[in-house]
Amino acid sequence: MILHQLIDYEILRVIWWLLLGVLLIGFAVTGGFDLGTGALLPFVAKTDIERRVVINSIGPVWEGNQVWLILGAGAIFAAWPPLYAVSFSGFYLAMAAIMFALILRPVGFKYRSKRESTAWRSAWDWALFVGGFVPALIFGVAIGNVLQGVPFHFNDDLRIFYDGTTLFELLNPYALLCGLVSVAMLLMHGAAWLVLKTEGPVAARARSFGSMAALATTVLFALGGVFLWLGIDGYRFTSDVVTDGPSNPLSKTVEVAGGVWFANYAAHPWMMLAPALGLVFPLVAFILFRARREVLALLSSSLAIFGIIATVGLTMFPFILPSSVDPKSSLTVWDASSSHMTLFNMLVVTLIFVPLIVAYTSWVYRVLWGKVDEKAIRDDSGHAY
């Protein structure tokens, strides 16, 4: 027996769909509080010392948190090549905006304190706001467009053609609503991190903003679900599905119909756990913010993120990128993956290195546990920024 045949092709495809979800959730939970903290910076911190406290609360960990984003992009490239080709080329300008915003963050961290000028530091503070707010918004807008279908198609030679025109067509009402869900979710998460890592006025303001963001997350997520039910058509197969055959998106037929995105929940009621987490745990976080239960508030916001992102994946399964102009070109778990051997080899590597990353990250957070206070910033006792 060839080694990669120890695991069926169909099972490997599902495993990599799950792993992609784990990596995206991992980035949203770790890098998410970085983005949320940056977006909150000008509002929760009023003085220079307070803003340095906020920056240093994420200073030791933000670079390591980006590993999950890199792993997610790498997994898409290696495990789902057509998905990578369509999304990273079709959303090119949106991706460029995200990269520009993310590049602002390390530059802002490094250069903010190079000069004593108030105007200089204020400008970099707003740059850090952009570096947190813009990716949070655009990631959500991208999800909103994926749920509606992306304008691409394959020709008979399986060449991919993106039929979109401008960046602004991505900014449609439902996509913007999803963008607001993402922003509110990460603001809640960033506030929970700041409540845990700071004290005094900064923590008090973060608690207030986090409470509002938690309520907004539940309301906006619920509105997104209603909008999806009433106004967004879903995708379903109209032909037999081959789950273990060669990847060929054109080997199936697909139709578009209203309410289809909710079919998985009717067929598998246990899936309702995901949207329930997304609706309930922001409210739990709100209660814990008010009760000053710092660790539990951060855990609750993390579970809310898990529920919201898992809801998207479970809603669409087995579709991973529907086509709005040619439904049969839609990419699914069964027809957009790499080969059987590639998925197996990648799984072996993942099972070796991801636990090492998790172990090292956990150790870093343990070593750096504790609050960042103004006294340490004034004494310049080891803080980076």
Side-chain angles (χ1 to χ4, degrees):
M1 175 184 292
I2 300 175
L3 192 60
H4 70 270
Q5 293 179 345
L6 290 172
I7 304 178
D8 291 341
Y9 198 11
E10 174 185 2
I11 295 174
L12 274 173
R13 283 167 160 164
V14 174
I15 289 173
W16 271 103
W17 174 78
L18 291 171
L19 284 174
L20 179 58
V22 168
L23 294 175
L24 295 178
I25 292 170
F27 172 66
V29 170
T30 57
F33 67 71
D34 291 349
L35 298 178
T37 297
L40 286 169
L41 174 63
F43 309 104
V44 299
K46 301 302 182 183
T47 67
D48 182 67
I49 289 294
E50 287 179 352
R51 292 186 176 184
R52 288 186 64 193
V53 166
V54 171
I55 292 170
N56 279 284
S57 73
I58 59 173
V61 297
W62 73 268
E63 290 177 291
N65 292 340
Q66 306 309 303
V67 169
W68 295 100
L69 178 61
I70 297 169
L71 287 174
I76 293 173
F77 173 77
W80 312 99
L83 174 61
Y84 180 90
V86 175
S87 58
F88 280 70
S89 59
F91 294 162
Y92 184 82
L93 292 178
M95 295 289 183
I98 291 174
M99 294 306 300
F100 173 78
L102 291 178
I103 289 170
L104 276 178
R105 299 172 70 218
V107 177
F109 289 144
K110 298 295 184 183
Y111 279 87
R112 182 190 181 276
S113 296
K114 296 295 184 182
R115 295 176 59 185
E116 296 291 339
S117 166
T118 301
W120 170 270
R121 293 189 174 189
S122 178
W124 284 115
D125 291 338
W126 284 103
L128 291 172
F129 164 80
V130 171
F133 179 83
V134 170
L137 178 67
I138 295 181
F139 282 135
V141 167
I143 293 298
N145 280 281
V146 168
L147 284 166
Q148 295 174 90
V150 177
F152 73 94
H153 72 277
F154 290 88
N155 69 3
D156 292 338
D157 298 323
L158 293 183
R159 291 179 59 196
I160 303 172
F161 295 86
Y162 183 76
D163 301 311
T165 53
T166 66
L167 173 65
F168 296 102
E169 70 180 358
L170 300 178
L171 304 178
N172 54 76
Y174 184 70
L176 288 173
L177 175 58
C178 291
L180 292 177
V181 173
S182 177
V183 169
M185 175 181 76
L186 296 186
L187 288 178
M188 170 186 66
H189 199 45
W193 175 257
L194 286 174
V195 170
L196 177 67
K197 292 292 290 183
T198 65
E199 53 191 11
V202 172
R205 296 185 196 110
R207 188 175 295 109
S208 177
F209 278 104
S211 299
M212 292 186 289
L215 292 177
T217 300
T218 292
V219 171
L220 292 170
F221 184 51
L223 285 175
V226 172
F227 198 149
L228 188 67
W229 172 261
L230 298 177
I232 306 297
D233 292 337
Y235 293 71
R236 64 186 173 197
F237 292 113
T238 57
S239 62
D240 292 335
V241 180
V242 178
T243 59
D244 58 356
S247 291
N248 180 1
L250 299 182
S251 64
K252 63 182 181 301
T253 57
V254 174
E255 71 173 358
V256 181
V260 171
W261 279 148
F262 291 82
N264 281 342
Y265 300 106
H268 308 284
W270 63 267
M271 291 185 178
M272 289 296 296
L273 178 62
L277 290 174
L279 288 169
V280 172
F281 272 92
L283 298 177
V284 174
F286 170 81
I287 294 170
L288 293 169
F289 275 126
R290 310 315 295 177
R292 300 174 183 267
R293 303 296 296 273
E294 303 164 353
V295 175
L296 291 177
L298 183 63
L299 177 60
S300 296
S301 67
S302 300
L303 288 172
I305 290 172
F306 175 88
I308 290 170
I309 296 178
T311 296
V312 176
L314 293 173
T315 296
M316 294 178 57
F317 185 84
F319 291 88
I320 52 178
L321 190 66
S323 169
S324 60
V325 297
D326 182 28
K328 73 176 182 179
S329 292
S330 299
L331 303 178
T332 75
V333 171
W334 313 125
D335 59 26
S337 73
S338 294
S339 68
H340 192 168
M341 182 178 291
T342 299
L343 295 184
F344 180 82
N345 291 338
M346 287 174 57
L347 181 61
V348 172
V349 173
T350 299
L351 292 177
I352 294 172
F353 286 101
V354 169
L356 293 176
I357 294 171
V358 172
Y360 174 74
T361 302
S362 301
W363 176 78
V364 168
Y365 278 96
R366 180 183 178 187
V367 169
L368 298 173
W369 190 258
K371 292 184 181 293
V372 180
D373 56 38
E374 293 187 15
K375 182 179 182 298
I377 297 296
R378 288 192 178 94
D379 294 344
D380 197 23
S381 57
H383 288 291
Y385 305 110

